[in-house]
Amino acid sequence: MKKIAILFSGAGSNLAYILEHLHQKKVEVVLTISNNPNAKGIKYAKKYNIPCVIIDSKAFALREDFDNALVEEIQKHSIDLSVLAGFMRILTPVFTDNIKSINLHPSLLPKFKGLKAIERTYKSDDEFGGVSVHWVNSELDAGEIIVQKQISKVGLSFDEYLEQIKTIEKIALCEAIEKSLLI
C-alpha cells in the first residue's frame, strides 16, 4: 500500500475526509504534519493513531529552514506522496525539489492563485468557480493540474458557494491522490 503524508494548517476537514475514505483502503496515511500547533485538525490524526508532527513555522527565521525541517521529517517515513491539504505555507525549492507532493487550491487554476482564492473567484465575473489539485513545483500554484472540478456560481450566496467548494474539494483531493499514485 502506498504511503502518504498529509500537511495541514487548520481545521483538518480534508484530512478527516481522506482518513475516512482512503486510509487503510487505498493508501496508508503514515504521517501528518501541521505548521500550526493550535490546528484543530490535529484531533483527526490522534483519532486514527497517526503521528502528527508539529513544526511551527513561526519558530523559523527563514522559509528555507522551515522547509528543510519538513523535508527531513517526511524523508524519515519513506513517503510515496505528500498531500498539502489546507497547508497555508508558500514552499521554497528546498521542499519542492525534494518532496513529491500535490496541493489542493480552491480556484480553477491558473485563475486566482495564492490567498483568498475563494473570495476572489466569487467576486469575479466568471460564471464558474471550482477547485484544482496540482503537482507542487517551485512556482506558486503553477504545477501541472491533476484534477479540476467546477461549479456554477449563478444564484449562490457566498456562503452557499463556499459550502459547495468545501464539498467538491474533498472529492477532488481524493481523486487526485488516487490518480497521482495510479491506484
Side-chain angles (χ1 to χ4, degrees):
M1 194 172 293
K2 300 282 186 172
K3 295 179 180 180
I4 67 171
I6 302 175
L7 286 67
F8 65 97
S9 297
S13 60
N14 293 314
L15 167 62
Y17 192 88
I18 293 166
L19 290 170
E20 184 178 330
H21 290 87
L22 295 181
H23 181 58
Q24 301 299 357
K25 296 174 182 102
K26 301 213 175 189
V27 300
E28 183 181 1
V29 179
V30 297
L31 175 67
T32 63
I33 298 175
S34 182
N35 65 311
N36 174 4
N38 300 311
K40 293 185 174 133
I42 295 167
K43 67 184 174 192
Y44 298 116
K46 288 181 179 176
K47 177 180 175 184
Y48 283 83
N49 295 314
I50 296 167
C52 185
V53 177
I54 309 300
I55 304 175
D56 189 347
S57 50
K58 293 178 181 159
F60 296 85
L62 298 174
R63 285 185 183 277
E64 290 81 4
D65 293 341
F66 171 74
D67 288 2
N68 193 53
L70 287 177
V71 169
E72 285 180 17
E73 188 60 42
I74 292 167
Q75 288 178 341
K76 290 179 191 174
H77 298 273
S78 301
I79 301 293
D80 295 298
L81 181 70
S82 289
V83 179
L84 309 182
F87 191 62
M88 304 305 291
R89 294 290 302 170
I90 295 173
L91 298 165
T92 70
V94 169
F95 182 91
T96 61
D97 291 350
N98 291 293
I99 300 296
K100 179 180 176 182
S101 58
I102 62 174
N103 179 52
L104 170 66
H105 186 74
S107 77
L108 295 173
L109 292 172
K111 291 185 174 187
F112 309 109
K113 295 178 180 182
L115 294 173
K116 305 235 181 256
I118 296 171
E119 293 85 348
R120 292 186 292 141
T121 300
Y122 183 76
K123 290 177 183 175
S124 77
D125 292 333
D126 296 349
E127 181 181 341
F128 294 95
V131 300
S132 305
V133 183
H134 64 90
W135 289 104
V136 174
N137 64 20
S138 60
E139 187 180 336
L140 180 66
D141 295 329
E144 180 185 345
I145 293 171
I146 304 163
V147 172
Q148 279 190 321
K149 294 203 172 291
Q150 73 175 18
I151 57 171
S152 172
K153 301 184 319 187
V154 176
L156 297 180
S157 69
F158 176 76
D159 288 340
E160 291 167 332
Y161 175 70
L162 176 63
E163 189 61 36
Q164 287 194 26
I165 290 294
K166 294 292 183 191
T167 298
I168 65 170
E169 71 182 7
K170 293 164 179 50
I171 297 163
L173 191 54
C174 284
E175 284 180 18
I177 290 168
E178 292 183 56
K179 190 173 179 181
S180 63
L181 290 170
L182 300 174
I183 52 176

